[in-house]
C-alpha cells in the first residue's frame, strides 16, 4: 500500500527537531531508522502528516563505554551493536539480541532508539533494556530528563515519552555475570512468539542476583522481579527454575493472534525462559 500524503523534514540539529515538534504538535512524528514507523504508514495504521527524519542530527550515533556504564546513541544501528568489539566484550547480551532482530537489511538501518521508543510490544530491545535496567534520555522543550526502561512502557505503542520529546540515548549499567537472549519465532525476520533476556550472577555456586524480562507476551515488555527473586539464593536447580518460570507466567498476559492461542504462548514462554535461564547460568 501507499502511505497517506505527508510533509518530510530533515533538520540538521536537535533545536530544529524540537521547533518542528512544537509547531506541528500531535501531527508530527520523528523517525530514526524507520523500520517500525514506515510499514505502519504504508498500511495506513499510522497517519503522520509531518515526518521528521533524524538522520542528519549529530551526536546520536556513538557508543561510549566507561568504568561503570555504557551510553548508546539513539541513532546507533543494530549492525553497529553487532560490529562493536569493545561493546561485545563488556555486554555480550546486546550483540546476541541484535543478531536475532529481523534480517541483515533491517539491522543495517534499524536503530536502537527507534526500537525502544516506538512502544511496539513485539520489538526485541525494550525487554532487553528492562532486563539491563537501562535509562532512556529524553530531550524536549522543557529540557532533558531520564526515564528507567522499567517505567517507560505503559501500553502497546504508548510510552512515558511526551509528544514534544525525542529519545536521544540509552544508558546501561555494565552487566555482570552470565547472560542469554533466546527467541522463538515462526520464521527468519519475524517478531517473537516469545523471547527472554536473562542476566544472572553466580557467587560460589549460588545465584546472588538475577534479572529477567520477556517480550511479546503482553501489551508491554514484562520485567518480572518475582522471577529473578525466585533464583536468588539457589543453585539454579530445577525447582528454582520452575518457581521462576511460574512467577513469569503469572506476570505475562498474552492474547490470541496469528502466532497461536494463549495456552500455546504460555507454553512457549515457559520453554524459552527455562532455556534462557539455563544458558545464562552456564555462562555465569
Amino acid at each position: 500500500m501507499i502511505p497517506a500524503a505527508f510533509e518530510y523534514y530533515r533538520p540538521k540539529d536537535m533545536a530544529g527537531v524540537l521547533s518542528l515538534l512544537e509547531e506541528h504538535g500531535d501531527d508530527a512524528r520523528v523517525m530514526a531508522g524507520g523500520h517500525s514507523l514506515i510499514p505502519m504508514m504504508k498500511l495506513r495504521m499510522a497517519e503522520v502528516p509531518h515526518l521528521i527524519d533524524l538522520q542528519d542530527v549529530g551526536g546520536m550515533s556513538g557508543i561510549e563505554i566507561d568504568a561503570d556504564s555504557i551510553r548508546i546513541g539513539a541513532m546507533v544501528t543494530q549492525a553497529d551493536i553487532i560490529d562493536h568489539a569493545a561493546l561485545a566484550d563488556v555486554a555480550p547480551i546486546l550483540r546476541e539480541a541484535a543478531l536475532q532482530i529481523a534480517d541483515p537489511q533491517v539491522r543495517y538501518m534499524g536503530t536502537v532508539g527507534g526500537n525502544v521508543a516506538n512502544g511496539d510490544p513485539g520489538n526485541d530491545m525494550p525487554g532487553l533494556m528492562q532486563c539491563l535496567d537501562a535509562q532512556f534520555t529524553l530531550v524536549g522543550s522543557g529540557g532533558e530528563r531520564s526515564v528507567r526502561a522499567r517505567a517507560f512502557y505503559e501500553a502497546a505503542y504508548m510510552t512515558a515519552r511526551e509528544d514534544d520529546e525525542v529519545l536521544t540515548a540509552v544508558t546501561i549499567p555494565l552487566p555482570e555475570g552470565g547472560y542469554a537472549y533466546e527467541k522463538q519465532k515462526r520464521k527468519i525476520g519475524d517478531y517473537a512468539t516469545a523471547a527472554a533476556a536473562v542476566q544472572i550472577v553466580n557467587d560460589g555456586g549460588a545465584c546472588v542476583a538475577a534479572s529477567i524480562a520477556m517480550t511479546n507476551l503482553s501489551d508491554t515488555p514484562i520485567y518480572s522481579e518475582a522471577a529473578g527473586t525466585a533464583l536468588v539464593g539457589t543453585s539454579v536447580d530445577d525447582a528454582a527454575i520452575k518457581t521462576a518460570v511460574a512467577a513469569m507466567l503469572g506476570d505475562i498476559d498474552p492474547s490470541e493472534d496469528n502466532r497461536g492461542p494463549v495456552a500455546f504462548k504460555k507454553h512457549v514462554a515457559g520453554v524459552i525462559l527455562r532455556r534462557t535461564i539455563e544458558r545464562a547460568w552456564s555462562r555465569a
Side-chain angles (χ1 to χ4, degrees), residues 8 16 50 58 99 123 136 170 186 190 195 211 245 277 282:
Y8 175 78
H50 300 275
L99 281 166
N123 281 351
F136 299 155
V170 175
R186 298 172 300 176
D190 194 16
S211 180
V245 169
I277 292 170
S282 73

mmCIF file of all heavy atoms in Angstrom, residues 8 16 50 58 99 123 136 170 186 190 195 211 245 277 282:
data_model
loop_
_atom_site.group_PDB
_atom_site.id
_atom_site.type_symbol
_atom_site.label_atom_id
_atom_site.label_comp_id
_atom_site.label_asym_id
_atom_site.label_seq_id
_atom_site.Cartn_x
_atom_site.Cartn_y
_atom_site.Cartn_z
ATOM 1 N N TYR A 8 7.784 16.067 4.596
ATOM 2 C CA TYR A 8 9.027 15.441 5.064
ATOM 3 C C TYR A 8 10.037 16.514 5.442
ATOM 4 O O TYR A 8 10.268 17.465 4.695
ATOM 5 C CB TYR A 8 9.593 14.560 3.952
ATOM 6 C CG TYR A 8 10.947 13.947 4.254
ATOM 7 C CD1 TYR A 8 11.051 12.843 5.088
ATOM 8 C CD2 TYR A 8 12.116 14.479 3.691
ATOM 9 C CE1 TYR A 8 12.284 12.267 5.358
ATOM 10 C CE2 TYR A 8 13.348 13.903 3.954
ATOM 11 C CZ TYR A 8 13.426 12.799 4.792
ATOM 12 O OH TYR A 8 14.661 12.238 5.054
ATOM 13 N N GLY A 16 16.280 22.248 15.673
ATOM 14 C CA GLY A 16 15.356 22.205 14.544
ATOM 15 C C GLY A 16 14.282 21.153 14.719
ATOM 16 O O GLY A 16 13.108 21.369 14.371
ATOM 17 N N HIS A 50 3.290 15.084 9.290
ATOM 18 C CA HIS A 50 4.601 15.722 9.283
ATOM 19 C C HIS A 50 5.635 14.740 9.823
ATOM 20 O O HIS A 50 5.624 14.392 11.008
ATOM 21 C CB HIS A 50 4.582 16.997 10.125
ATOM 22 C CG HIS A 50 3.602 18.021 9.635
ATOM 23 N ND1 HIS A 50 3.896 18.922 8.637
ATOM 24 C CD2 HIS A 50 2.307 18.261 9.995
ATOM 25 C CE1 HIS A 50 2.840 19.676 8.403
ATOM 26 N NE2 HIS A 50 1.859 19.306 9.211
ATOM 27 N N GLY A 58 23.314 15.422 14.488
ATOM 28 C CA GLY A 58 24.550 14.864 15.024
ATOM 29 C C GLY A 58 24.448 14.521 16.498
ATOM 30 O O GLY A 58 23.508 14.903 17.197
ATOM 31 N N LEU A 99 21.637 -9.763 16.916
ATOM 32 C CA LEU A 99 21.757 -10.749 15.836
ATOM 33 C C LEU A 99 20.441 -11.472 15.562
ATOM 34 O O LEU A 99 20.281 -12.074 14.493
ATOM 35 C CB LEU A 99 22.844 -11.771 16.187
ATOM 36 C CG LEU A 99 24.274 -11.312 15.972
ATOM 37 C CD1 LEU A 99 25.249 -12.268 16.669
ATOM 38 C CD2 LEU A 99 24.593 -11.214 14.484
ATOM 39 N N ASN A 123 8.897 -5.700 19.730
ATOM 40 C CA ASN A 123 10.305 -5.369 19.495
ATOM 41 C C ASN A 123 11.209 -6.044 20.540
ATOM 42 O O ASN A 123 10.812 -6.240 21.682
ATOM 43 C CB ASN A 123 10.517 -3.856 19.542
ATOM 44 C CG ASN A 123 10.096 -3.178 18.248
ATOM 45 O OD1 ASN A 123 9.791 -3.826 17.254
ATOM 46 N ND2 ASN A 123 10.061 -1.855 18.271
ATOM 47 N N PHE A 136 16.577 5.778 29.728
ATOM 48 C CA PHE A 136 16.390 6.445 28.446
ATOM 49 C C PHE A 136 16.479 7.958 28.647
ATOM 50 O O PHE A 136 15.805 8.511 29.516
ATOM 51 C CB PHE A 136 15.029 6.102 27.841
ATOM 52 C CG PHE A 136 14.827 4.633 27.551
ATOM 53 C CD1 PHE A 136 13.558 4.096 27.506
ATOM 54 C CD2 PHE A 136 15.907 3.792 27.317
ATOM 55 C CE1 PHE A 136 13.351 2.745 27.235
ATOM 56 C CE2 PHE A 136 15.723 2.443 27.048
ATOM 57 C CZ PHE A 136 14.433 1.914 27.004
ATOM 58 N N VAL A 170 20.513 5.814 25.261
ATOM 59 C CA VAL A 170 20.227 4.752 26.219
ATOM 60 C C VAL A 170 21.483 4.551 27.067
ATOM 61 O O VAL A 170 22.583 4.413 26.518
ATOM 62 C CB VAL A 170 19.864 3.439 25.505
ATOM 63 C CG1 VAL A 170 19.690 2.309 26.510
ATOM 64 C CG2 VAL A 170 18.608 3.609 24.653
ATOM 65 N N ARG A 186 8.386 -17.728 14.213
ATOM 66 C CA ARG A 186 7.869 -18.633 13.185
ATOM 67 C C ARG A 186 8.812 -18.767 12.001
ATOM 68 O O ARG A 186 8.891 -19.822 11.367
ATOM 69 C CB ARG A 186 6.505 -18.134 12.694
ATOM 70 C CG ARG A 186 5.427 -18.089 13.760
ATOM 71 C CD ARG A 186 4.172 -17.411 13.239
ATOM 72 N NE ARG A 186 4.451 -16.037 12.826
ATOM 73 C CZ ARG A 186 3.553 -15.240 12.256
ATOM 74 N NH1 ARG A 186 2.326 -15.678 12.033
ATOM 75 N NH2 ARG A 186 3.874 -14.001 11.919
ATOM 76 N N ASP A 190 10.891 -12.622 11.666
ATOM 77 C CA ASP A 190 9.595 -12.425 12.305
ATOM 78 C C ASP A 190 9.767 -11.873 13.724
ATOM 79 O O ASP A 190 10.820 -11.996 14.336
ATOM 80 C CB ASP A 190 8.844 -13.759 12.352
ATOM 81 C CG ASP A 190 7.378 -13.601 12.692
ATOM 82 O OD1 ASP A 190 6.863 -12.468 12.606
ATOM 83 O OD2 ASP A 190 6.746 -14.614 13.042
ATOM 84 N N ALA A 195 10.194 -14.228 23.704
ATOM 85 C CA ALA A 195 11.636 -14.035 23.824
ATOM 86 C C ALA A 195 11.955 -13.674 25.263
ATOM 87 O O ALA A 195 11.141 -13.056 25.954
ATOM 88 C CB ALA A 195 12.126 -12.937 22.878
ATOM 89 N N SER A 211 18.175 -10.987 36.788
ATOM 90 C CA SER A 211 17.256 -10.045 36.152
ATOM 91 C C SER A 211 16.645 -10.733 34.936
ATOM 92 O O SER A 211 17.374 -11.286 34.096
ATOM 93 C CB SER A 211 17.997 -8.768 35.740
ATOM 94 O OG SER A 211 17.117 -7.851 35.132
ATOM 95 N N VAL A 245 9.895 -19.662 36.449
ATOM 96 C CA VAL A 245 9.005 -19.737 35.285
ATOM 97 C C VAL A 245 7.556 -19.483 35.710
ATOM 98 O O VAL A 245 6.818 -18.737 35.057
ATOM 99 C CB VAL A 245 9.144 -21.100 34.578
ATOM 100 C CG1 VAL A 245 8.031 -21.292 33.548
ATOM 101 C CG2 VAL A 245 10.514 -21.212 33.908
ATOM 102 N N ILE A 277 17.385 -19.195 31.078
ATOM 103 C CA ILE A 277 17.984 -19.236 32.419
ATOM 104 C C ILE A 277 19.129 -20.246 32.462
ATOM 105 O O ILE A 277 20.221 -19.954 32.981
ATOM 106 C CB ILE A 277 16.921 -19.576 33.475
ATOM 107 C CG1 ILE A 277 15.915 -18.442 33.624
ATOM 108 C CG2 ILE A 277 17.586 -19.863 34.834
ATOM 109 C CD1 ILE A 277 14.706 -18.802 34.467
ATOM 110 N N SER A 282 24.894 -21.222 32.808
ATOM 111 C CA SER A 282 26.073 -21.953 32.349
ATOM 112 C C SER A 282 27.221 -20.994 32.005
ATOM 113 O O SER A 282 28.390 -21.388 32.019
ATOM 114 C CB SER A 282 25.740 -22.802 31.126
ATOM 115 O OG SER A 282 25.569 -22.003 29.959
#
